[in-house]
Amino acid sequence: RGDPEIAVAIRARNRPMWPFGLDFTAGGMTDATRGADGSWTYDTRYDTMIREAGEELGIDVTNFKVVELSSWVPADGYNSVSTVYGIVWPEGVPVPHDDKEIDSIKWMSITTAVDSIRNGAVVKPDFARWLLAIDSELIQTISKMVDE
């Protein structure tokens, strides 16, 4: 597979920012909990991905093949790390989603998604940065993930 497909979320019309924009299918912040002694414990990025996929897609991703595709520190002034995970999804099975957050999910080749951005599609900025930074090595990783 030279140009694998990815599930792209189309944000709901009622979203205050980027309505109908292209986005990741699920995402969120890592939870932190303060203990009785005042110390903090944090979910791992993987734990966060499992929780968010459950909340936003209604699925238990521990039943699927999951691979960390990329990770970066955003240049947006936040002290955070963004991580993108790939989940191998059964062909022909619709991806469930929360209608309050997502209007629909479309399967697009990476080239089509990038072309959509370059042609002026509304897109959430972190999703655009990730898509535009995809290189041939990451495409090979995604293709191998799907083929295995």
Side-chain angles (χ1 to χ4, degrees):
R1 297 181 195 233
D3 192 8
E5 288 190 330
I6 57 173
V8 177
I10 310 302
R11 294 168 64 88
R13 80 177 70 222
N14 64 341
R15 299 298 298 267
M17 298 175 75
W18 312 290
F20 293 118
L22 307 180
D23 197 357
F24 295 106
T25 53
M29 303 296 284
T30 300
D31 283 344
T33 307
R34 191 169 207 160
D37 65 355
S39 65
W40 289 93
T41 57
Y42 303 91
D43 284 350
T44 66
R45 292 178 297 185
Y46 184 79
D47 292 336
T48 300
M49 181 268 306
I50 291 170
R51 177 177 43 82
E52 290 295 337
E55 289 174 4
E56 297 181 21
L57 304 176
I59 60 171
D60 177 1
V61 295
T62 60
N63 297 322
F64 294 87
K65 180 177 180 182
V66 177
V67 174
E68 183 177 321
L69 297 176
S70 56
S71 211
W72 71 95
V73 176
D76 58 8
Y78 291 103
N79 185 14
S80 63
V81 174
S82 292
T83 304
V84 175
Y85 288 91
I87 301 169
V88 176
W89 194 257
E91 195 168 331
V93 175
V95 179
H97 60 277
D98 178 349
D99 291 335
K100 290 178 245 144
E101 295 197 19
I102 298 172
D103 181 68
S104 61
I105 295 191
K106 296 187 179 186
W107 288 95
M108 295 182 180
S109 70
I110 291 171
T111 300
T112 299
V114 168
D115 287 348
S116 295
I117 293 168
R118 291 186 174 140
N119 291 326
V122 175
V123 61
K124 190 172 173 209
D126 60 342
F127 185 61
R129 280 191 294 272
W130 179 74
L131 271 174
L132 295 172
I134 289 177
D135 59 14
S136 60
E137 185 177 327
L138 186 54
I139 288 173
Q140 286 178 348
T141 299
I142 294 169
S143 293
K144 282 183 198 172
M145 203 176 117
V146 173
D147 290 341
E148 289 179 350

